[in-house]
Amino acid sequence: MENFLQIRMFKARNGDAFLIRYRDGADSLNILVDAGPENIYENEIKPVLEELNNNGESIDLFIVTHIDDDHIGGAIALIEDNGLSNQPNVISIKEIWHNAYRHLQNKFLNTPLNDDEREWLVGFSRKYEKSLKANKIGKRTVSARQGSSLGALLLQGGYNWNTAVDGWAVNTQTLKTYRMGNLACLKILSPHEEQLSNLKSYWSKELQKQGFRGVLTDDSEFDDAYEYFMRAVEAVRKIEGKRPVSFSDDDWETLKNEDEQDDPSCKNGSSIAFVLEIAGKKLLFAADAFPSVIAESIRQHYPDETAPYEMDAIKISHHGSKYNTSFDLLDMIDAPLYLISTNGHHNHPNLGTLIKIVDRPQNRSRTLMFNYETQSSRYFASLSNKAEQYKYHVVYKSIIDINKKGEYYE
């Protein structure tokens, strides 16, 4: 069997969905990172997974980075379609990482819900399910008899869920490094426990604000309530300001030096981000994580190296949002290949982010690879003088094969 290292950047609309495949003789490894919004699963992701299954392969690790609908929606569709872990309808999944409601707790509480508390939580879930439907997100109906969140489906299906950390949260304190046999190593960059604690505080305050007076337990109704609420909050996220489709050199400098703002979303802060070291390559998947957290973790993981730390590919955070790529982070890392997954929704990617990536000292050319043409990418590609000056290329591609030199090829 031919040896190869391949990244598939699914056309996940405004979301993320990546499949990393590696072959080395008889050894193989498949890692699925997010699954985009629910409505891409059937036509984009399922056929690829079925082909893997027909070839006798499985998903060795499925990472659901965080609870935004554009990352988790397709995961819910996949697990519901796949059914039981030991009798999968689509493909065998050996391990799943997903930090759910129960992972925000310091310990599991077995106190049963009384009828009033259960009824309140089901009503709460249905309220936010309706909000999702109003925004054309999700199609499932909440049931009082059976959990319909990803967490509840994982429990019902008997999946290996966060077993790498004995069922607790995946974060930089509980799991610094995760080895997958002799083939690969993941170095966890995000979240810290602080980001999960912030999300827990936000969730607890929202429950109390809306009238819940019971005790938080490990009942699956909490998984449903938490997940529907968090997904519904995503649906009303602010759209970043529109940018002109043409601008002068003065605008280039203005956008590059625009005041940096921190991402206000505690959900994005809870993202699982990592460096995958495989076949002598370093692939950084930033999910929607905070740039300060990624930068801090990079320093800790590579103390004997000097900045900028060289990666072979970087999936930039939050679809190129202006809130998730900072000068400090870009001083820390660089790569010949940057992956941007978005169809342009929320005005992603931000032009200032693209400028920051290319307008800095370089000893090589940089390729910005998109899975969709967007207003920003088309305009960036049209700037032939800037592209020559800063040695960047704009490419549209969904399947990326990486050779031994760390270069992608057709």
Side-chain angles (χ1 to χ4, degrees):
M1 183 180 292
E2 182 182 359
N3 296 348
F4 66 90
L5 174 61
Q6 182 186 88
I7 303 172
R8 181 185 288 265
M9 182 165 53
F10 289 99
K11 294 180 79 68
R13 301 194 181 185
N14 59 306
D16 275 0
F18 292 86
L19 177 64
I20 305 159
R21 301 183 64 198
Y22 176 58
R23 298 291 173 274
D24 184 5
D27 294 323
S28 65
L29 193 67
N30 297 309
I31 301 174
L32 182 63
V33 183
D34 289 327
E38 179 185 322
N39 52 17
I40 73 147
Y41 165 70
E42 194 70 30
N43 294 325
E44 280 288 327
I45 296 177
K46 184 176 181 178
V48 175
L49 299 185
E50 288 179 325
E51 182 179 355
L52 288 179
N53 181 64
N54 292 338
N55 292 334
E57 300 180 47
S58 60
I59 295 297
D60 297 278
L61 177 61
F62 180 17
I63 302 174
V64 183
T65 62
H66 64 299
I67 206 166
D68 265 352
D69 191 76
D70 55 355
H71 296 252
I72 197 176
I76 296 170
L78 165 57
I79 298 303
E80 185 174 65
D81 192 22
N82 207 39
L84 300 177
S85 174
N86 60 1
Q87 295 178 326
N89 298 321
V90 181
I91 193 167
S92 173
I93 303 174
K94 296 180 180 178
E95 167 82 357
I96 297 176
W97 291 357
H98 164 55
N99 291 337
Y101 149 76
R102 61 192 54 236
H103 301 107
L104 304 182
Q105 313 306 310
N106 294 325
K107 61 181 179 179
F108 295 123
L109 299 175
N110 296 316
T111 306
L113 292 170
N114 62 42
D115 290 344
D116 289 342
E117 291 169 343
R118 186 174 299 279
E119 182 179 354
W120 190 96
L121 285 169
V122 170
F124 180 91
S125 297
R126 284 177 173 159
K127 170 185 173 181
Y128 285 100
E129 181 206 18
K130 290 178 180 178
S131 176
L132 289 170
K133 288 181 179 295
N135 287 280
K136 299 181 180 180
I137 297 174
K139 64 183 180 183
R140 287 162 182 76
T141 299
V142 176
S143 167
R145 294 177 291 101
Q146 177 174 305
S148 55
S149 67
L150 178 57
L153 291 170
L154 293 177
L155 290 174
Q156 294 159 18
Y159 287 87
N160 292 324
W161 180 13
N162 287 15
T163 58
V165 286
D166 297 324
W168 296 100
V170 174
N171 63 55
T172 57
Q173 279 72 32
T174 60
L175 189 66
K176 295 182 182 300
T177 300
Y178 180 70
R179 296 192 176 278
M180 304 185 73
N182 296 319
L183 296 180
C185 174
L186 284 83
K187 295 190 173 181
I188 311 303
L189 305 179
S190 171
H192 295 336
E193 286 185 354
E194 176 186 355
Q195 279 71 54
L196 294 180
S197 177
N198 290 340
L199 190 59
K200 175 185 176 181
S201 176
Y202 171 64
W203 165 238
S204 298
K205 289 177 181 177
E206 283 297 329
L207 271 184
Q208 293 171 9
K209 185 190 302 183
Q210 300 200 37
F212 185 72
R213 297 294 179 262
V215 177
L216 299 182
T217 76
D218 65 350
D219 192 286
S220 64
E221 293 296 352
F222 281 101
D223 289 294
D224 278 1
Y226 169 78
E227 191 170 297
Y228 272 96
F229 173 74
M230 291 297 177
R231 292 174 66 200
V233 169
E234 189 274 342
V236 295
R237 183 172 54 190
K238 288 184 178 180
I239 296 176
E240 294 184 13
K242 293 183 178 180
R243 294 297 185 191
V245 294
S246 62
F247 50 84
S248 66
D249 286 346
D250 289 339
D251 292 319
W252 177 284
E253 288 300 319
T254 298
L255 289 172
K256 175 187 174 183
N257 295 301
E258 189 175 34
D259 288 342
E260 295 185 346
Q261 302 176 49
D262 293 333
D263 187 337
S265 170
C266 55
K267 286 190 301 176
N268 289 344
S270 72
S271 293
I272 299 173
F274 59 91
V275 173
L276 173 64
E277 296 184 350
I278 187 169
K281 308 295 183 292
K282 295 176 182 176
L283 312 177
L284 195 162
F285 285 81
D288 287 2
F290 291 168
S292 59
V293 173
I294 293 175
E296 178 185 351
S297 295
I298 288 285
R299 292 186 186 98
Q300 293 175 353
H301 278 296
Y302 300 102
D304 298 327
E305 298 184 23
T306 56
Y309 301 91
E310 292 293 324
M311 303 291 155
D312 293 280
I314 296 172
K315 198 294 291 188
I316 67 172
S317 181
H318 199 189
H319 323 289
S321 166
K322 66 181 179 181
Y323 301 114
N324 299 79
T325 299
S326 66
F327 283 117
D328 183 51
L329 177 60
L330 291 175
D331 285 342
M332 296 289 300
I333 58 175
D334 201 359
L337 178 61
Y338 287 82
L339 307 178
I340 301 105
S341 175
T342 181
N343 63 356
H345 194 53
H346 299 304
N347 292 302
H348 291 157
N350 178 266
L351 280 174
T353 296
L354 301 182
I355 292 170
K356 286 179 182 178
I357 290 172
V358 302
D359 188 356
R360 52 186 170 137
Q362 76 277 332
N363 298 316
R364 67 158 89 78
S365 64
R366 299 184 181 95
T367 297
L368 305 179
M369 187 169 292
F370 299 83
N371 53 353
Y372 291 92
E373 285 192 28
T374 69
Q375 186 179 30
S376 296
S377 70
R378 284 192 296 269
Y379 182 70
F380 220 65
S382 73
L383 300 176
S384 56
N385 58 330
K386 294 291 187 184
E388 182 177 357
Q389 179 181 357
Y390 296 110
K391 299 181 182 178
Y392 72 80
H393 309 276
V394 173
V395 176
Y396 301 100
K397 198 172 176 68
S398 291
I399 299 177
I400 306 107
D401 293 294
I402 299 177
N403 64 21
K404 291 183 179 180
K405 295 180 180 179
E407 303 166 334
Y408 82 93
Y409 57 95
E410 301 296 331

